[in-house]
Amino acid sequence: MSKKVLVLGEISDGSLRNVSFETIAAAKTIAGDGEIVAVLVGEAVESLAKEMIHYGADRVVTVEHENLENYTSDGYTQALTPVIDTEQPEGLVFAHTALGKDLAPRLASKLDTGLVSDVTEIDQQGDDVVFTRPIYSGKAFEKKVITDGVTFATIRPNNIDPLEKDETRSGEVASIDVEIADLRTTIKELIRNTTDGVDLSEAKVIIAGGRGVKSEEGFAQLHELADVLGGAVGASRGACDAGYCDYALQIGQTGKVVTPDLYVACGISGAIQHLAGMSNSKTIVAINKDPEANIFNVADYGIVGDLFDVVPLLTEELKAL
Ligand code: FAD
């Protein structure tokens, strides 16, 4: 198997998001012995090209324009269309992020092709590339094989391991000139909503609080534990509705979908809508004073107890390590 696959590098605050490297690893499975072409779109992105090559891209195409400083679906569509027209890739892989979720369906429709979204696993089985994706809010998984046309997939962050970084790799970096005009939207100001400076969807450790945390002050204890572990703080909708924290922290069916290495659920009952956003986390620790709480059904480790005793104790013990 040998295909040309195009991946889109995602840039945040002037750096490549980790998921960009995961898209390269995913593309590798689709490309086989073929070529991986990374595209970087933005205002001044050429300096990031080398990193994409170190993580496995064979070639990088940059599209730079002052109107591309911030993402707009219009601007990025105008930027990527000529690249796709020139490269004629047989596959495309984007991240299943806010950007990818917005852009990929638009481009798939333009290319008159299908899209496998929110992929958590890609395997080579014989001649087939098999995509695994969650359905019914994570209660089941389906496996898909694309038999016709361009293979277009978005991958869920934190699920596919990046290839090992190899700083000896080299590859061509070329820029392409595009006219970005008549944008229907322009970004006047960007207000970022991250927790502890860590993007929830890419965080390796998440300390999440529910209604059991009881107050904004209660959340301060979760922030302390998150700080010790270099993680981010998330929340259930119960906690957001109660005003203990910002809705940007909400995890679940109507919030963010996360897959950290470690998810610590504090005072969260484990409603199905919450599980939809976190049940694929690699290791789940639940702290709840109710031994019958549903969260224990998905937890790898359960602590039955008062979170106001357990969380400070954990923080102290971990600090001492
Ligand atoms: P509760 O269910 O009230 O649970 C609080 C838990 O804290 C209890 O288990 C209790 O035993 C424990 N507790 C209390 N005090 C302590 C203590 N001191 N120490 C330890 N444990 C303690 N919810 C989401 O989270 N995300 C979503 O995206 C989402 N989307 C939804 C979409 C729809 C359409 C609907 C209808 C609902 C949605 N919900 C969502 C809401 C969901 O159904 C639950 O209401 C919500 O998840 C409950 O939040 P909670 O677990 O924090 O609160």
Side-chain angles (χ1 to χ4, degrees), residues 209-214 235-239 241 250-256 266-275 277 287-290 293-295 303 305-308:
R211 220 182 324 247
V213 177
K214 293 191 174 70
S236 71
R237 177 154 141 192
D241 283 345
Q250 188 185 317
I251 291 164
Q253 190 179 317
T254 43
K256 294 202 169 73
C266 311
I268 294 177
S269 59
I272 190 71
Q273 296 89 353
H274 186 76
L275 302 189
I287 306 167
N288 198 302
K289 64 182 184 184
D290 173 9
N294 191 45
I295 192 75
I303 302 173
D306 190 319
L307 71 94
F308 296 106

Side-chain angles (χ1 to χ4, degrees), residues 2-183:
S2 175
K3 283 185 172 169
K4 184 196 271 191
V5 182
L6 201 137
V7 301
L8 175 67
E10 262 196 48
I11 299 158
S12 173
D13 285 336
S15 304
L16 283 161
R17 295 184 64 179
N18 201 45
V19 70
S20 308
F21 312 131
E22 297 167 7
T23 57
I24 298 174
K28 187 82 191 136
T29 312
I30 302 169
D33 297 330
E35 186 185 29
I36 298 172
V37 182
V39 187
L40 296 177
V41 176
E43 201 185 4
V45 293
E46 208 181 320
S47 58
L48 304 172
K50 261 195 193 152
E51 220 180 339
M52 291 299 272
I53 292 169
H54 292 163
Y55 274 99
D58 297 303
R59 204 152 54 77
V60 179
V61 177
T62 62
V63 189
E64 295 183 318
H65 195 285
E66 57 182 10
N67 288 348
L68 294 171
E69 185 190 357
N70 293 310
Y71 172 76
T72 59
S73 38
D74 235 12
Y76 267 52
T77 304
Q78 289 186 34
L80 281 164
T81 304
V83 180
I84 294 170
D85 286 347
T86 312
E87 296 288 342
Q88 295 288 311
E90 292 147 295
L92 290 117
V93 183
F94 290 7
H96 196 71
T97 51
L99 188 158
K101 281 188 255 186
D102 186 55
L103 184 65
R106 176 182 280 251
L107 280 173
S109 149
K110 253 180 146 314
L111 293 169
D112 198 20
T113 188
L115 173 69
V116 207
S117 65
D118 201 11
V119 171
T120 52
E121 232 179 279
I122 305 183
D123 297 306
Q124 175 79 48
Q125 289 178 12
D127 286 342
D128 291 334
V129 175
V130 182
F131 296 88
T132 305
R133 61 186 296 274
I135 51 172
Y136 304 122
S137 302
K139 285 199 279 295
F141 288 85
E142 68 173 0
K143 290 189 180 287
K144 287 199 162 184
V145 174
I146 296 167
T147 53
D148 199 20
V150 175
T151 302
F152 198 166
T154 60
I155 60 153
R156 187 183 282 196
N158 262 352
N159 279 267
I160 294 167
D161 290 334
L163 303 172
E164 209 164 306
K165 188 174 185 183
D166 177 358
E167 295 189 10
T168 63
R169 290 189 91 244
S170 58
E172 184 198 336
V173 181
S175 69
I176 126 164
D177 287 331
V178 288
E179 187 53 37
I180 308 289
D182 300 328
L183 293 182

